[in-house]
Amino acid sequence: MKSIMMSVQPKWVDKILKGEKTIEVRKKKPKLEPPFKVYIYCTTVKNMNLNDYVKLHSTTNGECDRRQSRVVAEFMCNEISNIFCTKFWKDCDEYVHYVFKDKLTLEFSCLEFPELDKYLKQKDGCSYHISDLVVYDIPKKLSDFDINKAPQSWCYVEEIK
């Protein structure tokens, strides 16, 4: 069965694994109909600023180092919802507004509006709904999925047994 592997920054991986983040916002959606499996690849901590890394290292008891550059979990995506960007003018100023299916989308994504806007760059996006999360005791290597290079955002993979 086709699945996807999604690259996720370490701070967001931590929130997903703790169950705080149940929606993942992306610019594009795959050509798969839900439900489908999503593997979570934790990117490297090298690109984090030092203060953020120290805080994450402390709150994860060093687990962030073990997770980096590994597939750490999987979940079922039972729903993908569109996020629509609309622009409007008021008193000669342009404003941006994002329309979600559910008002809690932003809260469950653990994003603040400026972060969302910076990521989507005033374009439409989508939200992957995270359910049935399985956290691996031992993170997997990309080679376990016949992948040599980490996906930039996400890529298609075959489901592993």
Side-chain angles (χ1 to χ4, degrees):
M1 179 170 107
K2 279 281 187 200
S3 302
I4 66 169
M5 181 173 301
M6 184 180 287
S7 289
V8 182
Q9 294 175 12
K11 71 176 184 175
W12 301 123
V13 166
D14 189 51
K15 289 188 178 296
I16 291 170
L17 299 186
K18 289 178 179 175
E20 296 171 10
K21 182 176 175 65
T22 57
I23 288 183
E24 179 64 21
V25 172
R26 293 291 160 140
K27 295 176 184 175
K28 299 204 182 290
K29 55 185 167 183
K31 293 178 181 165
L32 294 174
E33 289 298 317
F36 57 87
K37 188 174 283 188
V38 178
Y39 296 97
I40 300 172
Y41 172 80
C42 182
T43 62
T44 182
V45 296
K46 292 177 187 175
N47 297 330
M48 294 180 73
N49 88 27
L50 184 57
N51 290 336
D52 289 343
Y53 169 72
V54 169
K55 182 178 176 185
L56 184 64
H57 191 276
S58 174
T59 60
T60 65
N61 293 320
E63 278 296 300
C64 62
D65 292 332
R66 193 172 75 96
R67 294 176 189 153
Q68 72 172 332
S69 303
R70 296 281 191 255
V71 181
V72 297
E74 63 187 58
F75 67 87
M76 290 303 294
C77 178
N78 292 324
E79 182 182 354
I80 294 182
S81 300
N82 291 319
I83 301 171
F84 298 104
C85 178
T86 59
K87 296 178 185 177
F88 60 95
W89 289 85
K90 183 178 179 184
D91 301 328
C92 298
D93 289 323
E94 184 181 39
Y95 292 89
V96 175
H97 179 70
Y98 291 95
V99 179
F100 307 101
K101 176 184 175 193
D102 183 326
K103 290 182 179 184
L104 296 175
T105 296
L106 203 56
E107 180 180 336
F108 291 150
S109 70
C110 297
L111 292 170
E112 298 290 333
F113 180 84
E115 292 172 302
L116 176 74
D117 192 43
K118 182 178 177 186
Y119 176 69
L120 290 180
K121 298 179 181 169
Q122 300 182 4
K123 293 192 166 100
D124 294 345
C126 59
S127 59
Y128 292 66
H129 297 248
I130 299 170
S131 63
D132 304 322
L133 179 68
V134 176
V135 180
Y136 301 148
D137 292 332
I138 301 171
K140 300 179 184 311
K141 297 177 184 175
L142 285 175
S143 59
D144 294 340
F145 296 84
D146 292 328
I147 296 178
N148 301 350
K149 186 177 170 188
Q152 290 299 306
S153 177
W154 59 264
C155 68
Y156 294 103
V157 294
E158 288 295 326
E159 185 175 330
I160 61 169
K161 307 291 182 213

